[in-house]
Amino acid sequence: MSWNWSVCVVLLAALTLCHAGPDPHAKPNLNPIQTDPPVFVRQTENAKLYTVGKGDDIINVLHLWGNPYERGFAHGTIMKEEASAMMKAVWGYFEKEIIDAVNSTVPGFFKEWFLKDVANLGLDVALDLEKAATKPYTPQYFYDEIQGLADGAGVDVKIIERIHLIGELTKGSCSMYGAWGKAVPLPNSVMQLRALDWASDGPFQNYPQLTVYHIDDSNATNGHSFVNIGWSGWVGSITGMSSTQMAISEIGVAYPDDTFGKESRFGFPFTFLLRDILQFDNTLDDSINRIANAHRTCDLILGVGDGKLNTFRGIEYSAEVSYFFDDINMRPVAEWHPKIENVVYWGMDWLDPGYSSVLGRQLQKYHGNITAENTIRDIVSIVQTGDLHIAVYDLTKNIMYVANARKDNAGGPKNAYDRPFIRVDAKKLFDEHKPTV
Ligand SMILES: *[C@@H]1O[C@H](CO)[C@@H](O)[C@H](O)[C@H]1NC(C)=O
Ligand SMILES: *[C@@H]1O[C@H](CO)[C@@H](O)[C@H](O)[C@H]1NC(C)=O
Ligand SMILES: *[C@@H]1O[C@H](CO)[C@@H](O)[C@H](O)[C@H]1NC(C)=O
């Protein structure tokens, strides 16, 4: 986030650390967890829409069937109003952030190299260059789904393609943990956190959507069903869980160390790589192989949990390297990032003593009893991480707990970590039947 950046300072010539941290007086989140089952709204040939949550915290749950084009078309058709409004609003936000950033010296939402391209070449050319840099590495089914979405929603396909490059072009500072074994109350279980701190002043919080992809797995090459936690009109993945009891976490790295090497813009957008993990990987080993062999681009930390093996790995991810971490070899090694048995974690960035140390402290406080309830009440709220959305995944029980930032004109606190969480039974989502219309 831009405010986080502006207070990050250079501490040593060779090592830049982020120097922000949570408010020491942060309050626990005492909202009751909402547990009502999904409420049916409407259906079409390849889609069914439900909602979960109450009052100001309603989230759409969209089920999709069919081939990639059909899924996109069904998404665009049944969510026409929301998806086209979301895309218009994101495009407007995109343009405004770029104009502000190009005209000012304060670093903000977009990466510097992209702003330089925009300043030198104009926005259209800069975005066309980025598409050209990623298209050769992107499987056709993403483009097919986006075309279906454009046709269904009546939105220019180019706008939707460009919005889906946003992950490569912007900065985010998020948090994650994976906890298993001695860290959790049930020894054969795994808990995972994904807290998204990104663009909470944009339009995203107004269009939250759990998109459930029902994949015909009679042909193994199709993959399997998964739920993508994002927004109406969005088909990339940054947060989600699969029917093979696996889930993803992701942190954008603004403060790497020299082990990351150089970034590249030529490769596979990470929001599509994360989605392939959800759709195609059967075990954590599949994801490790996928990540190790991918044409990687920008600096990230990824997290992948597996509720069948009851374990989790954090990944240092860049164009040059991929390193896989458990609780023994976790990096960076620093006083402010202590190793915790059967836990892997990062707060907001790679080198972020302020947030990582508070996340580590709260995880130690609940070590042996890291549950969804304790994470919601006393971890994310105290670390103040997850301003836009949060998923706490109980991979062993197939349950996820989701919170979203305050929508425009809604009441209550602004940040997702202070708002009511909604309990969602992922297994029931995957069991939903295709409509017969
Ligand atoms: C910078 O701001 C001016 C108005 O203050 C605007 O006309 C111009 O287009 C902006 N520059 C860019 C590159 O957007
Ligand atoms: C499975 O799906 C792939 C890709 O959609 C296709 O090429 C292949 O022929 C299918 N296999 C069978 C046995 O239907
Ligand atoms: C563990 O946390 C739960 C809340 O998730 C609480 O009800 C329980 O008392 C805690 N157990 C211990 C041993 O602290």
Side-chain angles (χ1 to χ4, degrees):
M1 305 307 299
S2 48
W3 61 268
N4 192 2
W5 261 73
S6 58
V7 289
C8 290
V9 294
V10 178
L11 290 183
L12 297 167
L15 188 67
T16 310
L17 293 167
C18 185
H19 200 52
D23 179 349
H25 306 293
K27 298 257 181 342
N29 182 340
L30 302 176
N31 293 299
I33 294 170
Q34 300 185 1
T35 56
D36 292 348
V39 177
F40 177 77
V41 182
R42 58 182 181 263
Q43 65 183 33
T44 63
E45 189 183 350
N46 282 310
K48 266 184 178 172
L49 177 66
Y50 289 79
T51 59
V52 288
K54 288 191 288 217
D56 284 337
D57 294 281
I58 301 248
I59 297 179
N60 287 318
V61 179
L62 176 64
H63 295 266
L64 297 173
W65 289 266
N67 66 30
Y69 180 87
E70 291 166 338
R71 293 195 291 261
F73 188 79
H75 185 168
T77 307
I78 197 170
M79 303 305 289
K80 192 180 181 97
E81 199 182 311
E82 297 86 342
S84 57
M86 152 83 184
M87 251 114 33
K88 247 179 239 145
V90 172
W91 185 246
Y93 180 68
F94 223 100
E95 289 185 313
K96 181 187 165 297
E97 287 292 316
I98 287 170
I99 289 168
D100 288 357
V102 170
N103 266 344
S104 106
T105 52
V106 181
F109 186 59
F110 283 96
K111 294 187 176 175
E112 275 68 29
W113 62 261
F114 179 64
L115 294 172
K116 263 184 215 148
D117 273 8
V118 174
N120 294 331
L121 306 166
L123 181 56
D124 284 343
V125 176
L127 285 165
D128 286 345
L129 273 182
E130 181 58 17
K131 181 179 170 187
T134 56
K135 188 161 197 263
Y137 305 94
T138 303
Q140 184 58 35
Y141 47 81
F142 285 108
Y143 283 105
D144 293 345
E145 185 176 343
I146 285 172
Q147 186 65 55
L149 185 56
D151 293 346
V155 175
D156 182 353
V157 69
K158 213 166 169 177
I159 298 281
I160 308 182
E161 286 174 1
R162 288 173 166 190
I163 285 169
H164 281 83
L165 297 172
I166 201 166
E168 299 291 305
L169 306 177
T170 62
K171 296 180 285 208
S173 41
C174 312
S175 301
M176 72 169 81
Y177 75 63
W180 66 96
K182 292 195 175 139
V184 291
L186 286 173
N188 292 313
S189 69
V190 58
M191 293 294 305
Q192 180 175 342
L193 166 71
R194 179 311 173 249
L196 176 66
D197 296 88
W198 186 72
S200 66
D201 58 342
F204 295 95
Q205 67 277 0
N206 295 322
Y207 305 96
Q209 181 170 299
L210 312 183
T211 309
V212 189
Y213 287 79
H214 292 270
I215 305 289
D216 174 7
D217 57 13
S218 61
N219 180 340
T221 60
N222 292 340
H224 45 249
S225 300
F226 62 99
V227 52
N228 193 31
I229 301 171
W231 308 284
S232 303
W234 170 260
V235 308
S237 292
I238 49 167
T239 308
M241 185 168 165
S242 81
S243 55
T244 58
Q245 291 173 269
M246 293 174 65
I248 51 169
S249 302
E250 174 267 337
I251 298 177
V253 172
Y255 289 85
D257 57 24
D258 57 14
T259 62
F260 277 79
K262 277 209 192 77
E263 293 192 281
S264 168
R265 56 191 296 190
F266 298 93
F268 189 27
F270 75 85
T271 54
F272 293 157
L273 173 124
L274 286 170
R275 205 182 112 160
D276 280 352
I277 288 177
L278 294 175
Q279 184 170 350
F280 298 109
D281 291 354
N282 290 311
T283 65
L284 179 57
D285 281 342
D286 293 343
S287 307
I288 289 173
N289 289 329
R290 178 182 301 284
I291 291 165
N293 295 317
H295 289 276
R296 298 175 303 272
T297 54
C298 47
D299 294 348
L300 301 168
I301 314 169
L302 302 184
V304 181
D306 185 333
K308 306 178 300 301
L309 304 173
N310 292 312
T311 193
F312 174 93
R313 292 288 180 278
I315 300 112
E316 179 181 348
Y317 179 105
S318 73
E320 288 187 10
V321 304
S322 56
Y323 298 119
F324 299 86
F325 301 120
D326 58 18
D327 54 335
I328 309 289
N329 66 350
M330 184 180 77
R331 290 207 309 248
V333 175
E335 204 182 318
W336 47 264
H337 192 218
K339 287 184 179 161
I340 304 174
E341 191 176 14
N342 300 154
V343 179
V344 174
Y345 68 99
W346 290 273
M348 293 291 197
D349 210 315
W350 184 254
L351 297 178
D352 196 325
Y355 284 95
S356 281
S357 60
V358 178
L359 178 56
R361 185 191 75 204
Q362 293 306 96
L363 287 164
Q364 279 168 320
K365 180 172 170 188
Y366 289 98
H367 195 261
N369 200 20
I370 296 175
T371 59
E373 291 76 14
N374 293 331
T375 301
I376 292 164
R377 197 187 62 252
D378 214 23
I379 298 181
V380 287
S381 51
I382 300 300
V383 182
Q384 297 189 309
T385 188
D387 61 9
L388 185 53
H389 79 211
I390 299 174
V392 181
Y393 313 104
D394 183 336
L395 292 176
T396 311
K397 291 191 190 142
N398 259 312
I399 304 286
M400 55 189 194
Y401 299 79
V402 182
N404 182 58
R406 182 180 64 205
K407 295 180 188 174
D408 297 352
N409 306 318
K414 178 175 188 299
N415 296 307
Y417 55 75
D418 285 329
R419 296 197 67 90
F421 278 66
I422 303 166
R423 179 186 191 277
V424 180
D425 185 330
K427 179 154 190 321
K428 283 197 182 141
L429 294 183
F430 300 132
D431 287 344
E432 186 75 33
H433 289 294
K434 189 177 172 184
T436 45
V437 286

